């Protein structure tokens, strides 16, 4: 799986595509482990101050009254989302020291969908429903098919739109200083049979790819019951993705005069 992804370049992309607005652009455009960017989660709703009356009358969208006894239902309101500044590289809440947090986070940038609920580092976040969306413009993989030096490859959507990757998040507090750190990890899925992603990573190894969510599933992913959450882990269609080798500046050096 990739150890680098690309942040969105303009604040209005967060607003228009993900319905959140960070106070400012993340400082890092090219994200690597333990750098600071952030994630999107469902905003916690305050507990009601008074009890809700039994069998209330619900006014449907069309204006007709529908009572509880009639079995009528009203569509759930959109989920209110919020942006949380955080580190890429999850730090479990039970970590005891800052030095341990630094070491662990480098290895915890991704969580396997198949084992996220049982792996010690991610289990608590998953069981607590601490799911998130990680906005990315592209991610990078090494093309090793030709042998020799790996060729970095940028993978993005064909139409140039951003992608929302499923993730889990954690809140850690330094026991010595009391400082709080928010962190996150991407969820990945098996890509052995994916028409595009099976080309990358080491030959003979299991292929993995980010769990890219469909735009229409964002709210459902953030609020789904735990037993339903894995239903969102599906391979993003290969024909919606575009892979381009990253140009090396050395390759552009003019030849002739200074050879």
């Amino acid at each position: 799986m990739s150890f680098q992804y690309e942040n969105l370049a303009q604040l209005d992309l967060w607003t228009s595509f993900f319905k959140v607005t960070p106070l400012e652009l993340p400082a890092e455009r090219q994200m690597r482990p333990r750098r600071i960017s952030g994630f999107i989660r469902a905003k916690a709703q305050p507990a009601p101050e008074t009890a809700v009356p039994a069998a209330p009358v619900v006014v449907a969208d069309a204006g007709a009254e529908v009572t509880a006894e009639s079995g009528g239902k009203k569509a759930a309101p959109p989920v209110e989302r919020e942006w949380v500044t955080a580190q890429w590289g999850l730090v479990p809440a039970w970590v005891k020291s800052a030095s341990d947090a630094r070491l662990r986070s480098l290895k915890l940038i991704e969580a396997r969908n198949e084992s996220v609920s049982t792996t010690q580092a991610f289990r608590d976040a998953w069981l607590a429903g601490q799911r998130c969306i990680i906005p990315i413009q592209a991610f990078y993989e090494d093309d090793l098919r030709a042998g020799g030096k790996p060729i970095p490859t940028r993978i993005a959507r064909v139409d140039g739109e951003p992608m929302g990757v499923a993730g889990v998040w954690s809140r850690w507090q330094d026991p010595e200083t009391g400082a709080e750190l928010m962190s996150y990890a991407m969820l990945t899925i098996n890509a052995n049979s994916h028409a595009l992603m099976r080309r990358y990573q080491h030959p003979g190894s299991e292929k993995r790819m980010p769990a890219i969510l469909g735009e229409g599933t964002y709210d459902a992913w953030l609020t789904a019951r735990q037993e339903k959450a894995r239903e969102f882990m599906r391979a993003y269609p290969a024909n919606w993705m575009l892979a381009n080798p990253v140009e090396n500046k050395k390759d552009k050096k003019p030849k002739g005069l200074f050879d």
Side-chain angles (χ1 to χ4, degrees):
M1 237 298 287
S2 175
F3 288 91
Q4 182 181 355
Y5 74 86
E6 185 179 310
N7 260 325
L8 281 58
Q10 294 93 27
L11 278 175
D12 59 1
L13 285 175
W14 267 276
T15 305
S16 61
F17 201 83
F18 294 103
K19 310 300 187 249
V20 296
T21 306
L23 294 177
E24 58 185 5
L25 279 173
E28 303 286 352
R29 178 73 188 282
Q30 298 293 334
M31 281 296 298
R32 296 183 185 276
R34 225 165 60 190
R35 292 184 178 179
I36 301 296
S37 181
F39 60 82
I40 297 164
R41 67 180 178 185
K43 189 172 184 179
Q45 299 300 313
E49 296 181 1
T50 58
V52 178
V57 173
V58 179
V59 180
D61 291 340
E65 285 191 352
V66 182
T67 64
E69 289 79 10
S70 71
K73 294 182 179 180
K74 186 178 180 180
V79 174
E80 187 175 0
R81 307 172 192 168
E82 65 178 349
W83 171 261
V84 179
T85 300
Q87 169 188 276
W88 184 27
L90 190 130
V91 178
W94 42 260
V95 168
K96 300 298 184 183
S97 68
S99 59
D100 192 17
R102 286 192 294 271
L103 289 173
R104 288 181 183 273
S105 60
L106 283 173
K107 301 176 182 179
L108 299 178
I109 62 171
E110 61 183 63
R112 294 170 64 94
N113 163 58
E114 300 87 347
S115 59
V116 64
S117 61
T118 56
T119 301
Q120 183 184 19
F122 303 113
R123 181 179 59 222
D124 291 348
W126 179 263
L127 295 180
Q130 291 170 193
R131 297 189 296 272
C132 63
I133 300 168
I134 304 157
I136 71 172
Q137 193 66 55
F139 62 97
Y140 293 80
E141 294 288 357
D142 284 337
D143 189 342
L144 302 166
R145 289 174 295 167
K149 188 175 181 180
I151 302 172
T153 303
R154 181 180 185 269
I155 301 172
R157 278 178 48 158
V158 170
D159 59 8
E161 294 283 8
M163 296 174 281
V165 176
V168 290
W169 62 270
S170 180
R171 179 188 287 108
W172 177 77
Q173 188 170 35
D174 189 323
E176 295 184 2
T177 67
E180 184 179 84
L181 175 68
M182 301 296 290
S183 61
Y184 61 96
M186 290 184 177
L187 283 164
T188 69
I189 60 175
N190 181 282
N192 284 343
S193 60
H194 193 270
L196 176 64
M197 296 306 302
R198 66 186 181 191
R199 305 175 186 175
Y200 302 102
Q201 303 162 41
H202 291 282
S205 66
E206 181 191 2
K207 312 302 182 182
R208 307 291 299 179
M209 67 180 291
I212 302 169
L213 299 163
E215 296 96 287
T217 69
Y218 289 166
D219 285 351
W221 159 251
L222 292 174
T223 59
R225 296 192 306 273
Q226 182 187 321
E227 63 270 20
K228 296 288 185 181
R230 278 203 174 91
E231 295 179 6
F232 297 86
M233 303 291 98
R234 300 175 182 176
Y236 204 70
N239 61 331
W240 294 3
M241 305 173 80
L242 183 66
N244 287 312
V246 177
E247 291 184 340
N248 190 321
K249 291 182 179 180
K250 293 180 180 179
D251 297 336
K252 292 185 172 184
K253 179 182 175 182
K255 296 181 180 180
L257 287 176
F258 304 102
D259 287 350

